[in-house]
Amino acid sequence: MRKNVLLFVLSCIIGCHVALAQQVPNVLQQGKADSRECKAWVDERLSGMSLKEKIGQLFIHTVAPINTPVNKKNIHDAIKEYKVGGLLFSGGQLSNQILLTNYAQELAEVPLFITFDGEWGLAMRLKGTPSFPKNRVLGCIQDNELLYEYGKEVARQCKELGVQINFAPVADVDINPRNPVINTRSFGGDPKNVAQKVIAYSRGLEDGGVLSVSKHFPGHGDTEVDSHKALPVLNFNRARLDSIELYPFREAIKAGLGGVMVGHLEVPELGERPASISPQIINNLLCQELGFQGLVFTDALEMKGISPNQAGNICAQALMAGNDLLLAPRNLKRELDGVLAAVKSGKLSEELITEKCRKVLTYKYALGLKDKPHIQLSGLEKRLNRPETKDLILRLQKAAVTVATNAGGVLPLNSKLEGTVVLNIGKSPSSGLTFFNRLQNSIPLSRIVASPEAMESIKRQLLNSKRVIVVISSDDYKKYRTMLNSLPDDLPVIYVYLMPLKSMLNMEEYWKKAAAVVLGHSGEMAIQERVADVMAGKAVADGRLSVAVADLLKPGDGVTMAPKMLPVFKPEDYGMSSKVLKQIDEIALEGIKAKAYPGCQILILKDGKPIYDKSFGTFTYESSRKVEEDDLYDLASLTKTTATLLAVMKLYDEGRFGLTDRISRYVPALKGTNKERVTIEELLLHQSGIPAFWPFYKAAIDQDSYEGAFYKARPDAHHHMQIDTRLFVIDKFEYKKDLMAKTFSGDYPLQVADSMYLHRSFRDSVVAQIGRTPLKDRSYRYSCLNFMLLKEMVENMTKMPISVYLEKEFYGPMGMTRTSYLPLRRFKKEEIVPTVKADYLRKGGMLQGYVHDESAAFMGGVSGNAGLFSTARDVAKVYQMLIDGGMYEGRRYLSKETCDLFLTHTSKISRRGLGFDKPDMRNTAKSPCAAEAPKEVVGHTGFTGTCAWADPKNHLVYVFLSNRIYPRPFDHKQLMRLNIRPRIQQVMYQAVMKR
């Protein structure tokens, strides 16, 4: 019932004719505009008004906050003679505005709208009030809840001043770096980000009881003319306007925001007249097509963008076009008389004036003006400048810190590297000093204070450094452009801005060669310290650029920095050539182009430091989701050495078994089988005689659910799905009902895929099946079953799942937070790279977060041969620990003796080591490694397109992760044909500089 009453009230008060199904502005709902009390209050005031008084309610008069007799008379006349509906104070003193607000409200028979133009808070107009960052800076923030808090705090401050309407936020999209008037006032150049920020801020403002006004409709971002001085023209077609200029306004209207200001803009595609007096743009587009039901304001009518362009009676034209409130006309008496004359002449109907007056009065009630307000001046500054306000400003500033680029991988800074010079460019020698002092606590630094007279001396000092940090606190940096651009390309230069950038013009000249660019946006001490901490790897920065930088960077670009983040170091500092390593990019991209894989991660450590760390491509060929460093890959058989072998080495280290011990001693199910005499060493060397593979899953399939053969060499009426070059699988089959369930339970805990859970007994049946497999001679035969048995041994010894044991002994302490069996229990599916598009054993669904290997899948996802998911960064930690003799970041995980044994022991009949694969020194054509790899190298490859190789001789670790088998394995072998993995490893060795 309440909703129907509200809609009836709105239908009476709204001058724009719209359908009732459209969004009712939030402030009307919050302010109980649908109540009988509101309707009675509005009717009472409206009934006593003359036509002139109704017209007066539609005017907002601008006055200066100057407490003089002349100014008070101006206010008195506007209220008593012209009956204006509201006031807008221009900039001045806080106390004067409060005194004049109270004076004005006492004079008014109908309470006045007190409006404010505070795009970045009260400080935009009033001295001594909290100053918030401008919108371009706020556009860098990723957490829109902070924008909501900001809006709510501005609303609180406005209400302390008796303000009901704030002419903010700017909803224009800033895509023209030559725009003279919008630029830093906009949230940025991405329409979606602008819309999100507009909505978040405005909701905070309106939830705090103050009307938001999005401006300047239909969009002032892509102009090179200031509408305060002349009329800008937007010569764009409708498709372009819809996708950029109109987008934030459309989203704001959908969100139910209450106010829109129309700009003085000429948009030929939308209407013949300037937007602020155009019926096509306001009535037709804004109100009817977009469905806006809130208050429509003109931009200031004293601006030259409108006043010289239209002959007389601008306010009457503005009302006829669809505006509800007329802001700051140049001559109040003339314009009010002009509207009155338009009504009397029939150009404007009195009914329209009455409807608009009713609408204004309804908003006054909803915004708390049913009673005359009185503002308390005493204690006001303290109420405005609360500690909570200062804390919010600081949180906004910190959240806006943006690492725009880190192309050289120089951040976080290497704390052990000498030769870093900070060049401070600012207005005084103390500029940037807080930043320098803070960073010096973490990194050896020297400091140069820039001076134009000492340009050559500065250049000589910079050329003798190993890296340069240019700290910019003023526009003086332009004087140093030529000198900075002349620095050698191989000298890493980091630009740090401790000031807001007003213009992005020509910025690409500095940034295209930069190793990194950091935007602090502010020179305040707390932000200087924050930026220093970010660069030292001690604080988070997740800001993103809000505007484009020519063709170099687009809105949304940026790099997330976090504490303990793995830095990328300059290869030359570790005896390697970055120029040679750059060739890896070409190989990686060649693989993507040839569809060897959709994407990949590549990491190289030298002396434990990441000198190459990049991700390429996308999750799948169909997806636009880019691969990032934290995304998880199915390691496949790389699990053997990254998981199972680690556990085996740990137990060996503790003296729990000997290499010549029989596996049946620790896996009793093998006793009495032909595997009883197989030793642990034989399993590790793949000389056990056990088959390479066994189809365990067949034991779960109901053979009565299909007719004929399960597999066929050629497709037929019942075999359509191809799974190998000459192998097709039956179209339809079912699993045994007593073995497979659709939901998890104590009896069915082994998850194979979505809605597929195996009976707990199946795990033991797999071990039993291994016991029954045929046994061949002890020649070399690579077998996944060997490591499945080793996993059983580990679990029987430790009395816990191998996944739990590894997390306890290795992954947790080593900070391998992105490594896991059964990753969907810890990570979102969107963080895991898909392996195949369809898997017949999993009923055709995409595998994303479920292990691809069939044996591991039917063990519930945790097996000794496969099942682990990880990132290149995490995998590298394991192999670095191994070549460092069991030590990682000061903690010992394995004894040096155990590491030496497992890394050096090699089979007499094959290239294999104890669990590890190794280069084939006898036949390099068949080697899994580059020909340059020495015999000391150990590692492993994985079926999904992975590898990890550790070189203790040269102190190198190389990791490559991909999903090369996507969308299906059997015809996606380009990774091997192109020799991608060994070629990258070869470049790594070629990059090692001769000493």
Side-chain angles (χ1 to χ4, degrees):
M1 180 64 185
R2 286 175 60 85
K3 183 177 180 182
N4 291 336
V5 172
L6 176 56
L7 292 173
F8 173 76
V9 171
L10 288 170
S11 68
C12 294
I13 68 172
I14 291 174
C16 299
H17 305 292
V18 295
L20 296 182
Q22 291 155 349
Q23 174 70 50
V24 174
N26 301 329
V27 292
L28 292 183
Q29 298 180 58
Q30 296 163 4
K32 299 181 179 178
D34 59 342
S35 66
R36 292 178 179 175
E37 291 82 0
C38 173
K39 187 175 185 305
W41 187 88
V42 171
D43 286 344
E44 182 181 347
R45 275 135 195 86
L46 198 59
S47 63
M49 286 184 182
S50 65
L51 174 60
K52 182 179 179 180
E53 288 172 326
K54 291 176 185 177
I55 293 171
Q57 283 295 307
L58 311 183
F59 281 78
I60 294 176
H61 183 52
T62 303
V63 293
I66 305 170
N67 197 10
T68 63
V70 173
N71 199 42
K72 290 178 78 171
K73 183 179 186 305
N74 175 24
I75 294 171
H76 178 277
D77 291 348
I79 295 170
K80 286 297 188 182
E81 184 174 348
Y82 304 115
K83 309 293 184 180
V84 294
L87 297 177
L88 170 64
F89 286 99
S90 58
Q93 294 291 335
L94 176 65
S95 58
N96 284 342
Q97 178 160 329
I98 300 307
L99 292 171
L100 292 174
T101 297
N102 286 334
Y103 170 72
Q105 292 288 22
E106 283 298 319
L107 289 174
E109 295 176 22
V110 177
L112 297 161
F113 271 144
I114 303 299
T115 66
F116 197 83
D117 191 13
E119 293 171 14
W120 53 90
L122 304 184
M124 182 171 171
R125 301 295 176 190
L126 295 173
K127 299 174 182 177
T129 56
S131 180
F132 290 87
K134 290 187 179 179
N135 286 351
R136 175 177 285 178
V137 175
L138 298 176
C140 297
I141 295 173
Q142 298 303 290
D143 182 5
N144 289 328
E145 283 300 310
L146 275 174
L147 274 292
Y148 175 85
E149 282 189 61
Y150 165 45
K152 197 139 188 205
E153 172 58 21
V154 171
R156 185 193 70 81
Q157 294 178 24
C158 284
K159 295 192 81 170
E160 290 283 3
L161 269 63
V163 169
Q164 297 81 38
I165 299 172
N166 187 20
F167 294 128
V170 170
D172 303 318
V173 181
D174 178 26
I175 58 173
N176 188 336
R178 298 185 185 279
N179 192 311
V181 64
I182 299 302
N183 50 68
T184 59
R185 298 162 63 195
S186 164
F187 286 116
D190 175 16
K192 290 184 180 179
N193 185 47
V194 171
Q196 290 167 3
K197 298 293 187 290
V198 164
I199 291 168
Y201 170 81
S202 299
R203 278 181 171 159
L205 204 62
E206 295 189 352
D207 284 354
V210 172
L211 183 71
S212 72
V213 180
S214 298
K215 61 188 185 184
H216 308 83
F217 187 83
H220 202 333
D222 192 0
T223 65
E224 295 184 18
V225 174
D226 183 350
S227 54
H228 293 85
K229 300 176 181 179
L231 182 66
V233 179
L234 281 75
N235 274 314
F236 306 123
N237 62 31
R238 182 59 192 269
R240 150 63 196 257
L241 292 166
D242 280 334
S243 62
I244 297 179
E245 279 79 9
L246 292 173
Y247 183 86
F249 293 100
R250 182 184 292 109
E251 295 303 305
I253 292 165
K254 287 180 187 176
L257 302 182
V260 167
M261 178 182 287
V262 184
H264 304 314
L265 304 161
E266 186 177 336
V267 193
E269 178 73 10
L270 301 179
E272 297 175 357
R273 312 182 74 195
S276 50
I277 55 171
S278 168
Q280 293 99 328
I281 292 175
I282 302 175
N283 265 326
N284 297 357
L285 175 61
L286 177 61
C287 297
Q288 294 185 38
E289 184 179 333
L290 299 184
F292 182 61
Q293 297 189 16
L295 286 176
V296 183
F297 298 79
T298 67
D299 204 346
L301 293 169
E302 61 187 0
M303 291 165 60
K304 293 180 180 178
I306 186 68
S307 52
N309 290 283
Q310 300 296 320
N313 224 348
I314 291 174
C315 289
Q317 295 178 58
L319 290 173
M320 287 187 282
N323 290 288
D324 299 309
L325 283 155
L326 308 165
L327 179 60
R330 186 175 293 274
N331 186 310
L332 184 59
K333 180 182 185 305
R334 184 184 65 207
E335 294 299 335
L336 197 146
D337 287 346
V339 174
L340 191 60
V343 174
K344 290 180 178 178
S345 69
K347 291 181 180 179
L348 262 174
S349 71
E350 186 170 350
E351 290 78 10
L352 179 64
I353 297 296
T354 301
E355 282 182 12
K356 289 185 179 296
C357 184
R358 179 181 292 280
K359 184 175 182 180
V360 168
L361 291 173
T362 302
Y363 270 86
K364 285 189 174 185
Y365 183 94
L367 291 166
L369 285 177
K370 60 182 178 180
D371 300 310
K372 283 190 179 183
H374 183 84
I375 311 305
Q376 183 181 337
L377 181 57
S378 61
L380 178 59
E381 284 198 27
K382 186 176 181 181
R383 296 197 303 275
L384 292 177
N385 293 282
R386 302 184 308 167
E388 294 90 339
T389 305
K390 294 178 181 177
D391 176 68
L392 174 59
I393 293 171
L394 184 58
R395 285 190 289 128
L396 289 165
Q397 290 173 323
K398 287 181 176 180
V401 173
T402 300
V403 179
T405 69
N406 192 23
V410 70
L411 299 178
L413 295 167
N414 181 357
S415 61
K416 296 179 181 178
L417 188 64
E418 302 281 344
T420 301
V421 175
V422 173
L423 175 64
N424 273 109
I425 301 175
K427 294 292 187 185
S428 71
S430 62
S431 297
L433 186 57
T434 300
F435 166 86
F436 175 82
N437 290 335
R438 181 74 162 209
L439 191 57
Q440 196 175 34
N441 292 334
S442 304
I443 295 159
L445 296 175
S446 60
R447 183 173 185 255
I448 302 172
V449 176
S451 168
E453 295 77 24
M455 202 79 76
E456 285 303 315
S457 171
I458 292 170
K459 184 175 180 180
R460 284 195 300 271
Q461 293 179 73
L462 297 183
L463 288 173
N464 289 325
S465 66
K466 288 192 175 180
R467 62 186 172 194
V468 177
I469 302 173
V470 183
V471 179
I472 298 169
S473 305
S474 76
D475 286 335
D476 288 349
Y477 69 88
K478 296 172 184 176
K479 300 174 184 176
Y480 301 87
R481 176 187 302 172
T482 303
M483 185 268 289
L484 292 171
N485 284 339
S486 70
L487 294 175
D489 290 348
D490 60 354
L491 177 62
V493 178
I494 304 166
Y495 288 97
V496 177
Y497 293 85
L498 299 178
M499 55 177 279
L501 289 173
K502 296 177 182 177
S503 173
M504 290 299 184
L505 281 173
N506 303 319
M507 204 58 68
E508 71 276 10
E509 292 183 24
Y510 300 91
W511 293 10
K512 64 185 177 184
K513 289 173 58 178
V517 176
V518 184
L519 305 180
H521 306 293
S522 168
E524 291 188 23
M525 291 177 64
I527 299 306
Q528 291 194 43
E529 292 178 347
R530 177 70 168 205
V531 171
D533 287 347
V534 166
M535 294 175 64
K538 296 180 178 180
V540 172
D542 64 355
R544 293 292 184 268
L545 277 177
S546 57
V547 291
V549 180
D551 294 329
L552 186 67
L553 296 168
K554 62 183 183 301
D557 281 351
V559 181
T560 297
M561 307 297 295
K564 296 185 179 179
M565 180 177 170
L566 198 65
V568 176
F569 296 84
K570 186 180 177 184
E572 282 72 14
D573 294 331
Y574 296 90
M576 298 188 75
S577 167
S578 54
K579 186 175 181 180
V580 175
L581 288 171
K582 184 72 175 174
Q583 296 173 28
I584 294 174
D585 294 21
E586 298 174 12
I587 299 172
L589 294 171
E590 175 192 340
I592 293 171
K593 186 177 181 180
K595 294 201 170 180
Y597 42 81
C600 64
Q601 295 173 352
I602 307 172
L603 176 65
I604 297 173
L605 303 183
K606 178 71 169 77
D607 299 332
K609 302 297 188 291
I611 50 90
Y612 188 95
D613 182 10
K614 293 187 180 182
S615 297
F616 297 88
T618 54
F619 269 30
T620 68
Y621 297 111
E622 306 86 6
S623 168
S624 61
R625 167 67 158 85
K626 291 183 178 180
V627 176
E628 296 177 355
E629 288 79 3
D630 283 341
D631 294 325
L632 280 73
Y633 277 91
D634 181 343
L635 298 188
S637 284
L638 192 53
T639 299
K640 293 180 174 72
T641 51
T642 314
T644 311
L645 188 59
L646 277 186
V648 169
M649 291 174 71
K650 183 70 174 177
L651 295 173
Y652 178 85
D653 212 24
E654 295 173 352
R656 305 282 290 274
F657 69 89
L659 290 177
T660 57
D661 289 354
R662 295 174 180 176
I663 186 64
S664 58
R665 179 177 174 183
Y666 308 104
V667 184
L670 297 178
K671 288 184 178 180
T673 72
N674 57 8
K675 316 299 182 307
E676 186 171 7
R677 300 178 65 85
V678 172
T679 68
I680 294 169
E681 183 180 22
E682 288 170 335
L683 293 175
L684 290 167
L685 293 173
H686 294 280
Q687 295 171 195
S688 65
I690 296 174
F693 167 78
W694 200 257
F696 301 105
Y697 57 85
K698 279 191 171 182
I701 293 174
D702 182 358
Q703 294 184 5
D704 294 332
S705 65
Y706 62 92
E707 294 182 3
F710 194 76
Y711 301 115
K712 281 201 173 181
R714 292 185 177 87
D716 61 20
H718 303 292
H719 297 77
H720 291 97
M721 187 171 185
Q722 188 174 7
I723 61 171
D724 211 335
T725 309
R726 294 183 180 179
L727 197 62
F728 294 80
V729 70
I730 191 81
D731 292 342
K732 294 181 180 179
F733 67 92
E734 299 297 334
Y735 289 100
K736 294 175 182 177
K737 292 183 179 179
D738 59 335
L739 285 181
M740 190 72 76
K742 292 185 178 181
T743 57
F744 172 87
S745 69
D747 285 334
Y748 293 87
L750 306 179
Q751 189 169 16
V752 179
D754 291 336
S755 303
M756 291 181 66
Y757 295 86
L758 270 171
H759 195 273
R760 53 188 168 80
S761 64
F762 197 82
R763 188 157 42 196
D764 292 335
S765 79
V766 169
V767 180
Q769 286 185 67
I770 296 175
R772 294 193 296 270
T773 59
L775 191 68
K776 297 185 179 181
D777 59 34
R778 297 298 200 269
S779 61
Y780 168 64
R781 184 179 296 101
Y782 177 79
S783 174
C784 286
L785 279 59
N786 292 338
F787 273 75
M788 294 176 73
L789 291 176
L790 289 170
K791 175 253 187 187
E792 296 302 313
M793 179 186 81
V794 169
E795 293 188 339
N796 289 338
M797 281 187 177
T798 61
K799 308 300 182 188
M800 65 178 76
I802 193 171
S803 55
V804 175
Y805 180 71
L806 288 165
E807 182 67 29
K808 174 175 173 286
E809 297 293 336
F810 294 97
Y811 302 158
M814 291 175 71
M816 295 172 63
T817 58
R818 308 291 293 180
T819 300
S820 179
Y821 284 98
L822 307 171
L824 290 172
R825 295 184 181 180
R826 290 177 54 186
F827 304 100
K828 295 178 182 177
K829 184 174 283 190
E830 294 76 20
E831 300 174 77
I832 306 168
V833 180
T835 312
V836 294
K837 194 168 187 177
D839 182 79
Y840 72 101
L841 290 174
R842 262 64 74 92
K843 298 297 185 180
M846 178 185 283
L847 288 189
Q848 189 171 12
Y850 295 109
V851 62
H852 171 261
D853 182 87
E854 295 95 338
S855 299
F858 279 74
M859 290 288 282
V862 180
S863 185
N865 68 308
L868 196 66
F869 287 72
S870 189
T871 66
R873 289 179 174 180
D874 268 10
V875 169
K877 293 178 181 180
V878 169
Y879 296 88
Q880 187 63 47
M881 180 269 291
L882 292 172
I883 65 173
D884 283 344
M887 292 286 291
Y888 186 75
E889 293 189 342
R891 174 170 171 169
R892 181 162 293 285
Y893 293 87
L894 297 167
S895 70
K896 186 177 185 303
E897 293 75 16
T898 294
C899 290
D900 288 345
L901 172 64
F902 277 78
L903 268 62
T904 60
H905 185 75
T906 307
S907 169
K908 295 178 181 178
I909 63 172
S910 78
R911 69 174 191 252
R912 290 279 172 172
L914 281 176
F916 293 108
D917 200 356
K918 294 174 71 67
D920 193 328
M921 307 307 292
R922 298 171 188 167
N923 187 351
T924 55
K926 292 185 177 181
S927 178
C929 297
E932 291 82 351
K935 60 182 174 56
E936 290 84 1
V937 167
V938 297
H940 216 282
T941 58
F943 181 75
T944 52
T946 63
C947 75
W949 297 105
D951 181 349
K953 181 180 179 181
N954 294 293
H955 305 284
L956 287 163
V957 172
Y958 159 49
V959 182
F960 178 95
L961 303 183
S962 76
N963 54 336
R964 69 100 187 164
I965 61 174
Y966 187 91
R968 57 187 190 178
F970 69 90
D971 58 355
H972 277 72
K973 298 178 182 179
Q974 286 289 82
L975 181 70
M976 288 73 76
R977 290 178 186 140
L978 295 172
N979 217 23
I980 296 288
R981 290 174 290 188
R983 285 170 59 198
I984 291 173
Q985 190 181 32
Q986 183 179 49
V987 171
M988 176 184 76
Y989 282 111
Q990 291 170 348
V992 177
M993 296 185 294
K994 295 179 181 179
R995 298 183 183 278

